Structure formats: C-alpha cells, structure tokens
Amino acid sequence: MIEKMLTQHNAPIYEALEKHMKNRVVPFDVPGHKGGRGNKELTDFLGANCLKLDVNSMKPLDNLSHPMSVIKEAQELAAEAFRANHSFFMVNGTTGAVQAMIMSCCKAGDKIIMPRNVHRSAINALVICGAIPIYINPGLNKELGIPLGMSVNDVKEAILTHPDAKAILVNNPTYYGICSNLQEIVTLAHNFGMMVLADEAHGTHFYFGEDLPVSAMAAGADMAAVSMHKTGGSLTQSSILLSGPKVNPDYVRQIINLTQTTSASYLLLSSLDIARKNLSLNGKEMFRKTVQFAQYARDEINKLTGYYAFSRELINHDTVFDFDITKLSIHTRKIGLAGIEVYDLLRDEYGIQIEFGDIGNILAIISAGDRALEIERLISALSEIKRLYSGDNRGMFDHEYIKPDVVLAPQHAFYSKTHAVPLEQSKGCISGEFVMCYPPGIPILAPGEKISEEVLAYISYAKEKGSFLTGTQDMEIENINVVEDI
C-alpha cells in the first residue's frame, strides 16, 4: 500500500467528511436526528450541512479516543504546523487540555509550581488529581491593578525550596497579554528535572504571527494547551494539546480519555482541522492584519485621554518579559468607571460585545475577522461613554489580585466536610469552594484558602459593579461553603 503524502494543504478529517456525505450512507446509528431529518426546527436553524456532518465515530472517520487514520493524520499535521512532537485534538475545551497536561505530570501528593492567577481549570485539575500547588505570587502593576507574569527569581526560589516539584505551569500569555520569561523558566525547570506546562489559551497566534512573543513549543516547554477557538478560528470548545520530545504521547492519550467524551463532535474536529490548515497557509498575513487593527485602535483610544490602552511600554524584562500586541487591553478606572461597567454599557447601549470587563479594565479581542468600520465603532463608543458616563474615581477598588493564604490543598478542602455560611460572616474561615468572576475565570478564592476581609471586600465590590460571579453552590453567591475541621 502506498502511504499518502500529506501537506499543510490537506485537511484529512474535513476530506473524509466530504467523502462520507457523497457516499449517502444510510444511518442506523446515533445521533438520532438522522442527518437533521428528525428535527426540522434544529436543521432550519443550524443548516442542513451542519446536521449532516454531526455524525458518530465510524471506521472511515476514525475515533478520537484511539486515532488510527484520518484523525491521526490531522493531529500529525497539527503537530507539524505548531512545531511540536505530538498534538491531541480536544473537544471539551482548553479546560480539558489544561487538566490533561497537569494530570499527565502529577499524581496525588505531587507538587506543581504555578502562578496564583491561573484559570480555574488548573486548580480544578488539582481537585481531581490531588496534586499540591506551590503558588508564586505574580508581579503587580499598581497603576493598572493587574497581575503580571512570574519573576524568574521567584520561580528559582520556588524551585530551590521545592526541588521535588514535578512541574511548573506558566501562563503564556495572561488574559491581559502579559508574558513571563518562558525560555529562562524552561531552562531552570529542566535543570532540576521538572516539566514545563504552558497555558496558551490566548496564545494560538504566537505560532503563526511575526514579531510576537515566543510560543511554548519554541521555548522548549514540554506541553501546551492551545485554545484554537479563541484566536485560531475553530469552533468554540475546540482546542489542541501539544507535547514535546520528553513526553510519552500514549500515556497522555490515556489521561485525556479519562475525562474526554467518547462521542467526539466531528463539527469540532473538522473545525480544528480546517483552522490549522488556514493558519498554516495564511497565518502570517492574518496576524499581521490583527496587529495593525489592534495598534490602530490602541493609538486612537489613547488619544481620547482618560483610557489607557497599554502595550509593550510595560515590559520590564522580568514580570513583564514580553507583551502580546494583538491584545486590546484598556484601563478604565481613571474615567471613574469599572471595566465591567464599560463592558455593560458597550453591549447594552452600543451593541458591542467585548471579551470581558473586570473592576479596572476591559479586553477587546481583535482578529483578522474584524473590519475597520467595527474598530471605528468601538473607538467612537468608548469616546461617547467617556463623555456621557465618566465620573469621580475616588473610592474605586484599585487592584485585581489578592495574595492568597493557602491553608489546605484544593482537593482536601473541596472534599472535606463543609457547611454554608453567609459570605459576610465567613471571614477567617477556610473556603471549600471557588468564587470567581467569569470571564476570565481566575479564582478570587479557591478551595483551601482562608477568607480574608480583603477578599470579601473584593467580592462585594465586584457584585456591586455587576460582575458575573460563579463557583459556589449558592447560585446567588450569598453563602459560601467553608471547611468544618482541618
């Protein structure tokens, strides 16, 4: 048999699905909508092709749990495109990818070094597998009130204090676009036999753009969780987990299969396949356009005064080693408005949906899919919001990050006996659950952390300003489960 020679112009899953549609196979398998015929309203809403392509795993289409043909080929092409040794298609989001890479390196009782401003998915992984976090407090920009990256000196100190740690997790970049010195952290970690894991939920474009921060694989990291759907153009919930030469891919696949569905969506899989092809062939031009849009918007917004659209001027070669210039992160507090208030005004009054707003900043995701007219509309709306709604900024909460007081490991606290108490009466207790604003999903409070007056003040302020809080069993976020006995 002559083996197929595949290039980045191929999209094996997409090609197999096209062939499957042409074969007009009679379906006596799931899904029960039978190509959409069993649910006309859904078919009319999503489109006939979408429903016809929503198929089950079958021999010609391969199986994500044990890929041997077209999915295997698509993953190999993705690994080549991202310059990794192996790639794994994920259909339960980058949350699944982050958890899989942590669980591939750490078992119950193992230590993992990480910044505290990680996404909840990373701490969720610790709840599941029982690993122990060694938190590094990130740098803090006092003017913007935002957490930064990890100082190399802090990482080195954590490594020397905990030489038995199995891995180090690094955000590359943070939600705000801040990058740590990933290459130096990789060198340090590898010298001590530790793995380096990168949360690249917002870093897909680092692999394909020019003059952007270094990607995890280029920096020598062992694994990276990449949100293809955020800046790579695939469908929401689709992601890729990348691994380097020191990682056993078959073991990683076993770990992934512990939690990932056995009924993988071919809509998500084909979107990853086609998005990878597009990035490989057109990525440089796509992200050149993205940078131009972002820089134009940043320059114009800064001309408005009051707002501060920050960028590479924050670089200090330590806690801000580099900055992702595609990120349109904007500080709003000087006009007397919390970021979440600007977020709400943009959506409710101007029909503009941005990525998130916190208590001091907003983030607008810019991509090659944007249009110049829409960029101008955002700038104009921000100008009008300043004119109509700006006020006195005295008394506003001025920082996003609160250093945690960790008393128990997340798994221990989460599965301990707990009882609910009103939030305002919980000071000094140990939290048995999460509290976070979403997005971005970085916990204000995680299981095992002592509840301080500062934490309670932050939660109260975030609620007052309209932030969407999640994490507690109490859907109203009025009560919190606290650990009864240590």
Side-chain angles (χ1 to χ4, degrees), residues 143 306 331-338 390-398 461 465:
E143 179 188 357
H331 187 59
T332 65
R333 200 171 58 244
K334 286 188 177 178
I335 66 166
L337 292 174
S390 62
D392 192 339
N393 66 3
R394 286 179 294 183
M396 296 184 71
F397 214 91
D398 64 356
Y461 185 83
K465 292 298 183 182

Side-chain angles (χ1 to χ4, degrees), residues 115-117 136-142 145-152 154 174 176 178 180 316 318-320 399-403:
R116 177 54 181 77
N117 59 323
I136 292 177
N137 287 312
L140 183 68
N141 182 294
K142 292 182 179 179
I146 63 170
L148 305 174
M150 293 187 290
S151 166
V152 170
D154 288 344
T174 70
Y176 302 98
I178 308 294
S180 302
N316 59 19
D318 185 26
T319 51
V320 187
H399 60 282
E400 293 292 331
Y401 180 73
I402 299 170
K403 292 181 181 180

